[in-house]
Amino acid sequence: MQPSPDEKPDARQAVISPTRNDPLLHTLSEAIGGPLGDHAAPGVVRSGFWTPERVLVILTALAAVLGVVIKGYCRVNGWTTPQHFYAACYSDLPVLFKERGFADGILPLLGQGAPFEYPVLTSLIAGLTALVVPGTGTTEARATGYFDVNAVLLAVMWIVAVVATARSNRRRPWDAAMLAIAPGAILAGFINWDLWSVALLAVGMYLFARNQPVWAGVLIGLGAATKLYPVLVLGAIVLLAVRTGRYRPLWLTAAAAGVTWLAANLPAMLLDPRGWVYFFDFARDRTAGFSSIYFAWNLVVERIRYGAPLETPAVNAIATVSFSLACLAIAFVALHAPRRPRLAQLTFLIVAAFILTNKVYSPQYVLWLIPLLALARPRWRDFLLWMLAEALHWWAVWMYLGATTSGGPSTNNIDSPYYVGAILLHMIAVGYLCVRVLMDIYEPSGDPIRLSRQDDPQGGAFDGAPDALMWGDLRRKVSAGLRAGRA
């Protein structure tokens, strides 16, 4: 792969210092002696033991410990309703262990007639990890043991995701610190199994950046078999393939992803077809989920006693149309922008659009966006403002659930207007990040990555590629085709 036209060959191995490059960190560093000196050469001069990756691994491990400590009340007093909401230590892991038969050795998707509302690999992880929990029966001690086993594995996945994110741009490894110490990851990392898919997608994007599209597709396929959202990266690859005319990376990645996803799902399809399809039926038939804009609408309608609540068919239709329109808008941006957008920018926009239009927003979904933002727009001010909004939403959803699902005392609850406000704040924050990414696309001089004299570090074969088709070209071809048809 040749250096991009605006990148100096002798600077490819230099590491960008955050205190030099990020305005907020530059200012905050004055409290500890100021930014890195002009004569320091990180990445060129050997740093000894304290390499960026080792520091990031240590930071991630400490953050993971803090994430488990936050669950301390539940680990000591049990995972019971409504206390696990009011103590803000709720986790799906011990709750599902007790309620889905995992404590009795039931394994989803292996012909045991135990439907589970998650994709195949998550279902297997949930069932297999229960087998290593000592003891028998559904006890609080075993539920805590189940949480601990999964928390260790999730912490490993967190580290894998951080290292892969750091290696996805070797000149800017410190951007992965956003994921390593993210408040959103500390608060929500151990709610569910999402860190598995986050790690698989992060490794997939790293492999794509290294011009290994087949292996990238394998990891994306595994990620999609864990949570469906990693498949959205293929949309960004499609857009870049169209703009550059380089379709080989797309075909190889998509084919490998499809074959891998099918290989992971095929045993479940054959052994327990009803159990396998249950995930898709559940996703289709569920009502508007907590923290979605549709759920907020229904709360407002109920509160003011005016208007019609959105039923499941309407929610499905609105969500599908909204996401489709958002994808069309992103496709327009990808072909219309004067300079080709980066893979991370397009992936972030697509996943953010999915989150904003989806009919459910669980607090752990914030994990999907954190590594993508670290690659798309590594600016700490915007990142921390977003994390503040997500932390407020994380707290609000537990206080609201304590009231509505558990009949908890009113002194501990928040009323629905405050919960709706937290939902809107989260959506506004994500929307603001999308606007900032769009601004970087249309004004590359404000893009932190392009300021680092890089074109598209995650783009693989698209890095430094010339344009083959832009919006103006497409419009002219369509117009010519229409004129030919009329003639």
Side-chain angles (χ1 to χ4, degrees):
M1 182 175 61
Q2 297 297 319
S4 59
D6 57 354
E7 183 179 351
K8 294 181 180 179
D10 61 349
R12 287 181 61 82
Q13 299 303 316
V15 171
I16 303 298
S17 168
T19 58
R20 289 174 176 172
N21 183 261
D22 187 275
L24 178 63
L25 298 184
H26 182 91
T27 301
L28 294 178
S29 68
E30 297 294 344
I32 54 172
L36 193 69
D38 293 337
H39 298 287
V44 176
V45 178
R46 297 180 64 88
S47 55
F49 177 82
W50 297 106
T51 63
E53 279 191 15
R54 288 171 179 165
V55 174
L56 289 169
V57 168
I58 293 172
L59 290 175
T60 308
L62 293 175
V65 170
L66 181 56
V68 173
V69 169
I70 290 174
K71 309 293 184 185
Y73 178 89
C74 289
R75 296 186 73 259
V76 173
N77 299 285
W79 313 83
T80 56
T81 302
Q83 285 75 21
H84 58 185
F85 294 132
Y86 294 138
C89 58
Y90 174 83
S91 172
D92 288 333
L93 307 176
V95 173
L96 294 174
F97 175 78
K98 294 186 288 185
E99 295 181 355
R100 295 296 193 275
F102 300 146
D104 301 318
I106 291 179
L107 294 175
L109 303 178
L110 293 180
Q112 300 184 16
F116 193 48
E117 63 273 25
Y118 289 90
V120 58
L121 289 187
T122 297
S123 298
L124 291 178
I125 293 168
L128 293 174
T129 51
L131 299 180
V132 303
V133 179
T136 58
T138 308
T139 64
E140 289 297 332
R142 293 197 74 216
T144 299
Y146 181 75
F147 171 84
D148 291 344
V149 169
N150 279 280
V152 170
L153 295 176
L154 289 168
V156 172
M157 291 300 104
W158 191 349
I159 292 172
V160 169
V162 168
V163 172
T165 302
R167 292 186 178 184
S168 292
N169 188 345
R170 290 190 177 275
R171 291 200 62 203
R172 299 183 61 98
W174 291 110
D175 292 340
M178 285 184 171
L179 177 59
I181 60 173
I186 293 170
L187 296 176
F190 300 113
I191 294 177
N192 204 282
W193 292 277
D194 292 65
L195 277 170
W196 282 86
S197 58
V198 170
L200 290 169
L201 178 58
V203 176
M205 293 187 69
Y206 161 71
L207 292 171
F208 192 86
R210 300 284 290 178
N211 273 319
Q212 299 183 44
V214 173
W215 285 111
V218 170
L219 270 295
I220 292 169
L222 291 174
T226 308
K227 291 276 185 175
L228 285 181
Y229 92 93
V231 76
L232 297 177
V233 71
L234 295 179
I237 295 174
V238 167
L239 296 177
L240 292 178
V242 171
R243 175 134 184 180
T244 63
R246 298 185 177 184
Y247 289 95
R248 186 171 183 272
L250 169 62
W251 305 138
L252 292 176
T253 306
V259 170
T260 303
W261 182 89
L262 182 61
N265 281 266
L266 190 59
M269 294 179 185
L270 299 176
L271 293 173
D272 188 3
R274 290 186 178 180
W276 178 80
V277 81
Y278 179 77
F279 161 69
F280 300 96
D281 291 339
F282 178 84
R284 181 196 62 211
D285 297 336
R286 70 186 303 178
T287 59
F290 291 113
S291 295
S292 69
I293 188 61
Y294 318 102
F295 189 84
W297 169 267
N298 288 344
L299 286 180
V300 171
V301 166
E302 179 184 4
R303 182 80 176 191
I304 66 176
R305 298 182 181 179
Y306 180 80
L310 295 171
E311 303 295 337
T312 300
V315 171
N316 289 342
I318 295 172
T320 301
V321 172
S322 300
F323 180 60
S324 299
L325 292 175
C327 288
L328 288 176
I330 295 168
F332 170 79
V333 169
L335 297 178
H336 180 264
R339 183 170 178 179
R340 170 178 37 79
R342 295 185 288 107
L343 177 67
Q345 291 173 322
L346 293 175
T347 304
F348 177 86
L349 290 174
I350 295 171
V351 175
F354 179 75
I355 283 177
L356 292 174
T357 59
N358 195 26
K359 67 176 181 178
V360 61
Y361 179 74
S362 298
Q364 69 271 15
Y365 289 4
V366 68
L367 298 168
W368 301 0
L369 286 176
I370 294 173
L372 297 177
L373 182 67
L375 298 175
R377 192 170 203 280
R379 283 292 186 237
W380 279 85
R381 185 198 63 173
D382 294 341
F383 172 71
L384 293 176
L385 288 174
W386 172 47
M387 287 291 98
L388 176 61
E390 294 292 350
L392 291 173
H393 169 264
W394 173 85
W395 172 82
V397 70
W398 305 136
M399 298 305 103
Y400 180 77
L401 287 173
T404 57
T405 68
S406 311
S410 58
T411 54
N412 294 335
N413 303 330
I414 61 171
D415 204 358
S416 60
Y418 299 102
Y419 177 48
V420 171
I423 296 172
L424 295 177
L425 179 63
H426 136 71
M427 298 188 70
I428 291 170
V430 175
Y432 169 76
L433 295 177
C434 292
V435 171
R436 298 297 293 178
V437 171
L438 287 170
M439 291 172 64
D440 288 345
I441 290 174
Y442 275 93
E443 188 54 58
S445 62
D447 179 5
I449 307 302
R450 298 245 160 98
L451 283 174
S452 304
R453 298 185 178 183
Q454 297 174 289
D455 180 47
D456 189 356
Q458 293 81 46
F462 304 130
D463 184 25
D467 291 327
L469 180 68
M470 294 182 64
W471 179 257
D473 304 323
L474 182 62
R475 185 175 58 185
R476 284 189 292 271
K477 288 183 178 180
V478 171
S479 298
L482 291 176
R483 287 194 299 269
R486 286 194 297 266

